[in-house]
Amino acid sequence: MAWREANFDGIVGPTHNYAGLSYGNVASASNKGLVANPREGALQGLDKAQHLMGLGMMQGVLPPHDRPSLHALRAHGFTGSDRDMLAKAWETSPALVANLTSSATMWTANAATISPSPDTADGRTHFTPANLAAMYHRSIEWPVTSRVLKAIFPEGERFAHHDALEGGTHMGDEGAANHNRFCADYGDEGVALFVYGRGAFEKADDLIFPGRQTLEASRAVARQHGLSPKKALFVRQNPAAINAGAFHNDVVAVSNRNVFFYHEDAFVNPDQLERDILGAIGDVEMRFIRVPKAHVPLADAVKSYLFNSQLISSPHREGMTLILPGEVAETPSTKAYVDSLIASGGAITHADYLDVRQSMRNGGGPACLRLRVALSDDDVNGLGANAILNAGLVTELQAWVRKHYRDRVMPEDLGDPLLMEESFAALDDLTQILKLGSVYDFQN
Ligand code: SUG
């Protein structure tokens, strides 16, 4: 039976904007107040998806969420029509409305942690949507995420869904962005590496910025997915990396199969980590590519998002391909590093640069925009909805974006009832296109 890795990209939403909501995310904070172009953002994302399809990859999409969140407005005690609630909330607190209108669901690396069937005790693929408790604007994502994932991966014989972890920031979980899976082939049992920022019950005096993920949260996910204790590793992110702006581990590390590409400062003790991975994986020949800070300073890694690339095995190419943001080509140290990496003739043989600038300005590179899942042929046959792209569906989605999206949104526009109504109309259409059913509150 054939296995492949599928990428599910989050579609940039119609309310995409730069409100500077994420403390500890350097790009989000420094681009606060810029004019955003949601239309361009969504088209850039679809171009990336199309590029991966061109490389023979299975590519899916996950829809934006309904924003502003009516569910959250009601939970804040606002009443009346959708327009009434928005007007009253805007009058009371534009900051609250900005939190409830963020398009952050585009970064689907934070949607969930997924353990594919070869790794789990019951032989099903397990999904835990991330509670994203560290940031209010993201903590409201998981119920809709869970509905969407259940529509695409129906609960039953093949797929198992859990609720997000309870426990607030003590059990902060940021999903696949802090999770790597090593294996020889996608269908083999893999080793899961969970990366956390702090312990749930200790004060992390060494952190300036939030350590969003806790060890206890990572352990709970591994436990409920039924991973073998010998195949699940837990390592703390280097506090220096968090303090330099690596708010998720995927800002300083990325893996694919047996290759682990990471910055020397991503972990406090990388030698020990490599030994632990080798101990857990057994016979597989691991390839560690540890990038020295003498070649790429941590600040350049964070600024360019070198490690927030996708590392993929294209069936059309020998060796692996890095899908990098254009910013890596514009940063001298990272450009030189990638050039020398490709020239060295190792495991990574190609580097493709793509423009995802609308997302990058909020701290989201190519890897943030995708949720990956290893799927067998049988899993693919068991999928629901219509979220796997083909050329026709890409064209339809591009036309859908052009029809519904604005090319200019500022934080001051978020109280505009027309923006809300345009967005809901767009998402209503999208659920038809993707055959998702009624996943949004405004549809019920
Ligand atoms: O959670 N930015 C996101 C970026 C997430 C990137 N994901 C990964 N690294 N996997 C975050 O900080 C900014 C939103 C704003 O400021 O409006 C934001 O939420």
Side-chain angles (χ1 to χ4, degrees), residues 140-188:
I140 60 176
E141 294 179 16
W142 81 264
V144 172
T145 298
S146 184
R147 279 178 226 155
V148 169
L149 291 176
K150 285 175 181 164
I152 300 173
F153 305 96
E155 170 81 31
E157 196 190 323
R158 316 209 69 80
F159 304 116
H161 294 266
H162 304 270
D163 284 346
L165 299 177
E166 292 178 10
T169 52
H170 286 89
M171 293 298 281
D173 172 23
E174 300 277 319
N178 289 330
H179 171 249
N180 288 281
R181 175 175 187 258
F182 306 111
C183 57
D185 285 305
Y186 299 116
D188 298 340

Side-chain angles (χ1 to χ4, degrees), residues 20-22 25 28 107 109-110 137-138 177 212 248 250 362-363 368:
L21 300 179
S22 280
N25 169 340
S28 159
W107 299 298
N110 307 115
H137 69 287
R138 305 213 62 183
R212 297 192 192 188
H248 291 133
D250 68 2
N362 255 336
C368 298

